[in-house]
Amino acid sequence: MRLLPIPCIALLVCSVWVGSGSKAYARQAQPQGDQPAQPQREIASKSVENRAADKPSGPSDTAARSKSSVSSKEGEIIEFVADQQDENGDIVTYNGYAIATSGNLRIQADRMVYNRVTNDMVAEGNVVYDEGSDQRVTARRAEINTATHRGTFWETTGFTDRTATGEYVFFTAERVVKTGLQTYELYNATVTACEDVVPKWSFTSKRAELKIDDRIKLYDSIFRIRGLPFLPLPFTWLPTTKKERKSGFLIPMTGNSNQKGRVFREAYFQTLGDSADITIRGDIYSQRGIGLGAQFRAQTDDKSYLRVGVYSVKDRLFGPAGENEGGTAIVADAIQYLPHGWVAVADVSAVTSLAFRQVFSDDISQVINPVRESTFFAYNNFGSYSFGILADNNDTTVFSPGPIPSTGQNIEIKTRHTPEANFMAYPRRLIGSVPVYFSFDSSAGILSRSDVADDGSTFTTPSAVERFDFQPKITVPLPTVGGFTVTPSLLLSGTFWGDSLNQAAPLLQLGSLTTRGVTAPPSPTNASLGSTELLTLANNIGGGIFRHYAELQVDIRPPSFEKLYKDDDGSTRFKHLIEPYITYRNISGIGDEFNRIIKFDERDAVANTNEFECGFVNRFFITRKESDLIRPRRRRFRMSPAMEPEQAGPGERAHKEKPDGAGGQAGVPSDPPTGDAGSKSQAGSAKQKPEETKLESGEQTDLTEPGAAAKQKQAQFKNQKDLRKEEAKEAKQGSRSAQDTDDSPSQAYEFLSIKVAQKYFIDRNFGGALVPGARNQFYPLLTLTGFDYGGVARAFSPVNVSVRYRPLAYIYGDLRMDIGPDTGVRDLTTAVAARKGNVTVEGEWYYSKQVNITSNSFEPGTFAGSQVFTGVVFGDYTRGIYGGSRVGYDFTKQFLTPTQVSSGRLTNTRSFIGYNWDCCGLQFNYNTFKAGLRNENAFTFTFTLAGLGTYGTDQFSQFAGTGGGGGKKGSKRMGSPDDFFP
């Protein structure tokens, strides 16, 4: 859910909307004089449920105390109990732990003076006023009318019940006036959530209004840090409700952009019941224009949700003249679980133009991502079948460089499925126990595609191109012979398209524009486009076409090889396992219609092939404790008998028997263990101990109260903070002296895997589908690597190498690369990360090579690229100092002008540093990026008040308003270590 609303400071009136607890209680003000003030935490440590356990000091017994009852005019009966009672007409004085009760009303004080006629009461000394289970006020003095339940209290201190995040919100006041059954007025009040004597932060107010389970209004308030005034707030509203959300204005944000000028942002958050809300946002860009947006969220049931966001900018209203890059973005994310096993999912990202998103998005990943995709699908899995309905709109922009450096054009490719139905059957046996498995995949849909280049060249299909596809498949696992496992499968495919390409029409191939390669790496969407073609406006659409082909695949698994490597002492060091495999694939029957088929997705980009794929996987295993795989090894701390907790009673562990009879209580002898009783488990001793305890006199024995040892230890420290420090110190000392006794089970663990694979093509032209000098991407070229190597005809593919190394749960490395027989390393991606304690370091490198064919030409589909990303995160987000930084640098040489070359540039940085105390936290963020049309930096900060909310300028991103990408705080601070080590 959304963070609790936070203050909005206006010019004349400042409203603060934050979340807090729901119930208000109080305690007596601190004693005056030289006595040290008690920490706020001691207020919260007194449980409301234990109020009835308050007992009078001294030897007075309840039976000896005077009791009396008084009937008010309204017929209510008030019962008084005190050590001493004096009457003077209608005035009754009660002294010594006086208690008055009437219904749910309870008043306690050292001295009470009560008027039987007016029902007025004056209470003095340790006054405690309880009304129901959700109201408590303590004070030095109080004047109360027991009939109207109204009164005045002096020198009070109070606190709310725990908030939704677990904190208390404390308040103190010189004077409190109870104006109604649920309302109070506080004068010279202080509000905070800190436990310290001098709170790290607080609000002070000359006058405040408190309504139980609703809100606190502060007038002429001042926000203070360590008691020092920091920010005046003419009016502040603090909700004291258990609800996590509250309607109100978010804090305004201001920032600076070298492209958009000064930025002002404000948002209003409105709850719509318990499971829905909407946020409306307005932005002002001093050098561009005005932006408006809204985000709607709803939780439809426990597992289903809906997120919808829209953002629009009216550009070029202010500042210098320039290209209008305004537009509208719509984002949505939803999942709905329906009856009878149906599930519906939606993921929408619709933008009027890529330039609009690049200029006004706050997330670097969206600035550089050329794909905008909106998808809706619903599916149902029943038995071994699955049925789904798909509606998809994909918009991809690719840049095609020109023959002159720094020139080129964008080509926008749009594909649409509106709609498409898919029905498939998972493999299942046809006849009893006969190992013959049958499965199929089928689809029927209406599709369309359009390609538009900057120079005006276009290619557009009809708005509704029918496509029907059916692919049955038979798989027959053969018996293992000599350690060889052979699994052949045969797939038959038949596909009909309502329209096709007219080969007689003139066409403009992208390959002629990409002799220097494509500058953007291939995405999964681009990879399914086949040999990309852009046809000029002409009669380029022909009639229907039917394609049928057969695919034979034989998977051969030879015997695996393994070897154990041992140390000198004979223990196993590691195990090496080699698993070779051979795959033969033959696709035939497509023929010349490959070039006539319109490429919408991977179903269309299939070509003839006759190939072998050979490879082997090296696996390395070691033996590891289960604890090593989930967390760093830690020494287990074992308590000595003297450190056992002193607890007794039902269901609790009693004292352990001490050797030599030492430590026994007087009058409570302990029988020595007999037989093998001394070797019984601790649980058995705990059961026998109460039976061995006998009283030899009529005096009452001193039984240990449950938790008495803990309470005694707490009493030695002034506050819980000192207690936690002492406990941490003891635990650290104990862990150093303890022995490593990790009893978790051992298991085999694969710490390293290396896969090497390569293809050999018997048919190097793929039945005529491969176009020399053009970028070719189609099935089955895509099954080996995601990088393009089909720009030229070849017999052997590059060697694909995949390495994964993870010796422990907090160290890992991953390497993927393609090595050409005569070109060396063609592409490489690697990622490494390590975590030690609260420090995490990670790095990534993406490299690709533009392969030369001749001195003046390059292999189509290859591109030059070298980008490095590295980051570090340190500290504990929950307490103390923490921070991190992530830096991205592009080493690729690029032409800025036809004669000027840039050898490298800083693409983006994300840095943050913060400090969290027990009741507040402060974080500073600094982000920069240079990508596309953006070259700017931003500085933001956040200030969190425990139990209240978050203040600052780090707001959500409208382009990621559904909760992903830049909309999350974690993305702005690079991510926590858990993002790298799940």
Side-chain angles (χ1 to χ4, degrees), residues 6-21:
I6 48 183
C8 170
I9 307 171
L11 183 60
L12 299 177
V13 179
C14 174
S15 301
V16 180
W17 303 79
V18 293
S20 181

Side-chain angles (χ1 to χ4, degrees), residues 108 337 366 467 520 527 558 668 684 843 913:
Q108 172 186 313
Y337 289 84
Q366 296 189 9
R467 185 181 68 182
V668 188
I913 187 169

